[in-house]
Amino acid sequence: MAGVTAPPPRKKKSAPQDSVGLLMSLVRSLSQSENVKEREEIKKELEKNFKECDQNMDRLIDTHHEDLSSLIQAFSKIYTRITGSREKIKDIKGKLRSCKSLLHCKRDELKRLYIEGVEQKQMLALLEQIDTVKEVPQKLHGYIAKKHYLHASEDLVNALTILEGDLSGVEALRELRSELQDKKEQLHKKLVEELQKHLYIKSTSDAVRTFCRQGSARYSARGLSATKTSGVSASIMGGSVFGSVLGTPSRLDVSGLGRNTYQKYLGSPARARTLEVPTAAHNKDENVYEDLTETNPEENSHHYMALLVESLNILGRLPDAIEEVRSQMESEIFAIVGRAAQHVLDSAYLQDQSQQQNTPRLLLDLLQLTFIQFRCVVQAHGCVLGSLRKVADSASQPYGDLQLYTMAEVWSKIQSVLQEVLRGYLDMEHASTNQNENTAKFSETDALDVGLYFAKKKPVRPKKSMFRFEASRHAISMDSYLREQRQFGSLNNLDQSTKLQETKHELVCAPSAKNITIVFMPLSKFIKEIEDGLGCQCTLHEFITDYIKKVFIQEVQCDMAQRVDSAARSMDALKFVTDHEMLKTLNLQRPVLQSACSIEQCVEELKGLSQGLPLYAEQFLTMVVAMLKDYKETCGAAYRDIVHPESEDKRVISATWAKDEDLNRFLKSLPNWLNLVQQQDNKVSDHEETPEDIRARNVKESEKLIEMVGDTTLPKYEILSDVRQLKTLAHLQEGLSWLAQRTFYMATCLPTASLRTPSLSENVMDIPPVSENIVQSLVAISREFEELGELCLLVLHLEVRVHCFYYLIPLAYQDNFFCSAEDVDTDVQVLKLNRDISAIEETMSVSLQTKKFKYIFEGLGHLIASILINSAEYIKRINEFGIKKL
């Protein structure tokens, strides 16, 4: 800074050794120097230096005189005080020696006073402990009310330790000791109760609330799909065991079950839900801390359960708590199912889904809600086990080898509960009874050969009763009573398993074996989660597999066999056709046999079962093949019964012609047949045909038939004179054609390992690839249905023409063509032919499609003209009136 002079640089102090060395060097040079002048110069220089040093010393003394004076005064004071302190210490030592001698003389009295002091101090400590213990009940009440159980457990254990230790002999505290012991037991029960509540109720509360919030959207979507798909299966088969759930093929809405596709449901490991247990709150190095300022300790359920475990550990009742959790695990899981069932029923009721109540769809909701809660329970048990392992691994735990339960036990109890629930909903008690009754019918050998279930059996003659009471007043009233019971109280009288009755579980739907089709896919997904968690196959998987293989499939086989018997093998199976409502539903133009609809319904139900139980699709499709083969044989037998009378000599000529391979090939090569095939393939030409075109198309057929019949008069047994038989053939033809189309479409929708139809890839069923033999069998059956239907159509086509030959050929051999003017009325044979053709035409018009009706009657006029022209040579006499008559 400007104006401030810098202090002069300090001279470097020379060490004493350097000064001594300089002096010795100077003395040595003086002693060794012989030159006097040089000595004098050195002497003068030395004197000069001494003078400068004296001057510097005087200047420094003058400068630091005050500091030196203060330093000397301070030193004198310190010395004086040290001297006084020495004197005092000497005096104190003397007094201590005298005090020691005096105390030694009164040692007993001092000892007595010391002991009294210690006793008074201990008494004060005990009084403080008594005051503290007396405040414990009130503190416990406050802690428990605020759910601060860790502090409550610590205070209670500390109080009991005091009461059972230093204060154990105080009789006045006996009641307090008993009270605290009771409170310890009550606190133990409360802790276990809270732990159970958080394991099974609090951990699942969010899932239940989410389910209730989503209930509206779920039921509205489901109600829309139900509106679109209602009523079809019931109208086809009425009281079918499986039809009420599955419906027709397009109506099996598996997506409503929460399933996208089979591959998405089970095939993708990345989509499988992993049941990870939270471990952040259970680090061994993390201490459990309870914050008394927290108003809601239960907000963090994982931390709260860790506090409960630590509280039980402090109480010393952890082994008892573990045993209680293990023993009550199954009943608590049953209670979850019961609460879930009530939630499902309440949600359905609140949504006003009267049509949805007591349906298997509610069972699906029950399982979905239950599975979500089970996952939450497993995670909660994982947290508790983490806290228990922390206690078990600590060096200070007094239990020795603490026996913990495992996650495998939790999964085992869950599987056990699910098995009991499924036993009730799948009606396994009733199913096992039926299985025992049908053991003789369905042996193990038969189970392997599915076709034996549908093998043709001998017709059973119906037993005729002498009289009936079904129209009596008692029978009518009894029927009404039973109908009301079935309508209003059927669910109250359903058999329930013992476990379900004990837990007061309200069934959400009627127990039935068909429920497995609804729950199989979500069950399979949950089973996969269990097996991923356990690393091995679970018992629930074996339970479901055994049930489906040993019970459900056998019931399906038995039910289908009975329905096939009742639909296709009854005496009147070929007389009943579908009504108009069913025609609209099936989008058909003409009625088909009721038996064909029944068979198709069975096929669609089995197809639906294949989609609902994709792992067993091959078995159900094998049943489809066997059923269709059996129905094909039944239809073939019905056809033979119509066209083949009892005697082989008496044959129906139209059936014989249609069966002839050459003639069959010839007829199918004609333009009218090819035109029919084009119409069936929707390849209809817009060109309007003229009579000349129709005549030209049927010339070859007329010439061929005239050539085959010639001038032979046909006997009556060679024609089908009964129009009802022709009507049956028409219905049979329509049913077979329809079944052929449905069967072929089903074959194209089946996935195989090496083939998927590109044009129908969007309609491929969501099932695992099936054997190509099944697809080939279905295609072959479809072709056989089609061939038999074509055979029926050819028989009808030829039968109408045979009728023309039957009535017109005898005309040429009559002598009534040479007649008078009064005898020109139409011949009787012509009138009969007219009535016959009119009756057939009227029947075929309502029984066959327009294109088939056209094929049968097209070219018939040209044939009649050709028959008359070719028969003219056999007329012996004819006049102008005879020509007019002809």
Side-chain angles (χ1 to χ4, degrees), residues 91 710 868:
D91 185 46
L868 293 176

Side-chain angles (χ1 to χ4, degrees), residues 233 236-237 240-243 246-249 251 454 556-568 594-610 620-621 623-625 627-628 631 738-739 746:
S233 60
I236 294 181
M237 281 306 295
S240 168
V241 177
F242 303 98
L246 298 176
T248 57
R251 294 178 287 274
F454 305 102
V556 172
Q557 291 170 342
C558 181
D559 178 71
M560 293 299 171
Q562 292 176 356
R563 291 169 61 181
V564 169
D565 287 339
S566 62
Q594 180 68 41
S595 61
C597 289
S598 301
I599 294 299
E600 195 270 344
Q601 175 65 16
C602 294
V603 170
E604 292 300 335
E605 290 179 14
L606 290 174
K607 180 181 174 182
L609 291 176
S610 301
F620 293 119
L621 294 175
M623 295 168 59
V624 169
V625 172
M627 182 188 301
L628 292 175
Y631 185 69
W738 178 64
L739 272 182
M746 179 180 179

Side-chain angles (χ1 to χ4, degrees), residues 299-544:
E299 185 175 2
N300 187 349
S301 182
H302 294 163
H303 182 70
Y304 185 73
M305 288 188 289
L307 290 175
L308 294 176
V309 172
E310 188 64 27
S311 301
L312 289 168
N313 181 36
I314 293 174
L315 292 179
R317 301 294 299 275
L318 202 54
D320 298 336
I322 293 173
E323 190 60 33
E324 288 186 36
V325 171
R326 180 185 284 114
S327 62
Q328 297 179 13
M329 192 179 297
E330 187 170 357
S331 61
E332 291 291 343
I333 295 175
F334 263 116
I336 288 177
V337 178
R339 292 192 296 270
Q342 192 61 46
H343 278 296
V344 170
L345 292 174
D346 292 345
S347 298
Y349 178 77
L350 292 176
Q351 296 299 328
D352 194 21
Q353 296 291 331
S354 58
Q355 296 180 354
Q356 295 288 339
Q357 295 183 14
N358 299 326
T359 63
R361 297 290 180 178
L362 297 183
L363 176 58
L364 176 66
D365 292 339
L366 172 62
L367 284 186
Q368 290 178 341
L369 178 58
T370 304
F371 291 160
I372 295 173
Q373 295 185 77
F374 284 167
R375 295 184 186 105
C376 299
V377 169
V378 169
Q379 291 185 351
H381 274 287
C383 296
V384 173
L385 281 175
S387 299
L388 292 175
R389 292 191 187 98
K390 177 182 175 182
V391 174
D393 295 341
S394 63
S396 60
Q397 59 97 359
Y399 309 110
D401 187 11
L402 188 62
Q403 299 295 327
L404 305 179
Y405 66 93
T406 62
M407 293 303 299
E409 292 183 54
V410 179
W411 281 120
S412 176
K413 296 298 182 182
I414 289 176
Q415 294 177 75
S416 176
V417 170
L418 281 177
Q419 290 178 22
E420 291 298 330
V421 172
L422 291 174
R423 286 180 188 275
Y425 281 105
L426 298 179
D427 199 15
M428 293 189 66
E429 293 182 0
H430 183 263
S432 60
T433 304
N434 291 341
Q435 184 179 4
N436 294 332
E437 292 177 355
N438 296 329
T439 302
K441 293 183 180 180
F442 304 100
S443 61
E444 295 180 358
T445 305
D446 294 338
L448 297 176
D449 186 6
V450 184
L452 293 178
Y453 288 108
F454 305 102
K456 189 173 182 180
K457 303 175 180 63
K458 295 181 179 179
V460 181
R461 296 181 179 178
K463 296 181 179 180
K464 296 182 179 180
S465 58
M466 297 180 64
F467 44 84
R468 301 176 181 176
F469 294 97
E470 60 186 12
S472 63
R473 179 179 301 175
H474 174 74
I476 295 174
S477 61
M478 181 59 68
D479 290 342
S480 301
Y481 170 75
L482 294 176
R483 191 180 304 110
E484 291 177 359
Q485 290 296 316
R486 286 192 298 268
Q487 183 177 0
F488 300 106
S490 58
L491 289 179
N492 297 328
N493 299 323
L494 296 172
D495 294 333
Q496 302 179 12
S497 62
T498 305
K499 292 289 181 69
L500 293 178
Q501 289 178 350
E502 290 177 354
T503 56
K504 298 181 181 179
H505 173 69
E506 186 176 0
L507 298 178
V508 299
C509 67
S512 174
K514 62 191 176 184
N515 291 335
I516 189 63
T517 60
I518 298 294
V519 304
F520 178 77
M521 293 306 295
L523 266 178
S524 299
K525 181 180 179 182
F526 190 67
I527 287 172
K528 190 175 186 301
E529 294 179 17
I530 296 176
E531 292 177 346
D532 290 342
L534 296 178
C536 60
Q537 188 175 19
C538 62
T539 57
L540 183 61
H541 182 252
E542 298 176 357
F543 172 80
I544 294 297

Side-chain angles (χ1 to χ4, degrees), residues 787-805:
E787 290 177 353
L788 187 55
E790 291 175 353
L791 187 62
C792 293
L793 186 60
L794 286 176
V795 169
L796 292 172
H797 177 81
L798 294 173
E799 186 63 30
V800 174
R801 283 146 181 80
V802 170
H803 279 230
C804 295
F805 284 106

Side-chain angles (χ1 to χ4, degrees), residues 762-807:
E762 67 276 5
N763 296 322
V764 175
M765 295 171 58
D766 292 328
I767 60 176
V770 300
S771 172
E772 292 188 5
N773 292 332
I774 293 179
V775 178
Q776 294 173 0
S777 299
L778 289 174
V779 173
I781 293 173
S782 172
R783 182 56 188 166
E784 291 174 357
F785 279 140
E786 185 178 359
E787 290 177 353
L788 187 55
E790 291 175 353
L791 187 62
C792 293
L793 186 60
L794 286 176
V795 169
L796 292 172
H797 177 81
L798 294 173
E799 186 63 30
V800 174
R801 283 146 181 80
V802 170
H803 279 230
C804 295
F805 284 106
Y806 174 75
Y807 288 106

Side-chain angles (χ1 to χ4, degrees), residues 845-876:
S845 63
V846 297
S847 302
L848 290 175
Q849 299 179 31
T850 304
K851 54 189 175 183
K852 298 176 183 178
F853 176 81
K854 179 181 178 182
Y855 172 71
I856 292 176
F857 289 96
E858 186 182 71
L860 195 61
H862 179 266
L863 176 66
I864 294 175
S866 300
I867 293 174
L868 293 176
I869 293 172
N870 283 278
S871 301
E873 60 178 310
Y874 302 105
I875 300 176
K876 297 178 180 180

Side-chain angles (χ1 to χ4, degrees), residues 146-149 190-191 194-195 197-198 290 296-311:
K146 296 180 180 179
K147 297 186 182 296
H148 294 150
Y149 296 111
K190 183 67 175 177
L191 290 174
E194 287 289 321
L195 186 60
K197 182 175 72 173
H198 273 263
E290 185 176 53
N296 185 14
E298 296 182 274
E299 185 175 2
N300 187 349
S301 182
H302 294 163
H303 182 70
Y304 185 73
M305 288 188 289
L307 290 175
L308 294 176
V309 172
E310 188 64 27
S311 301

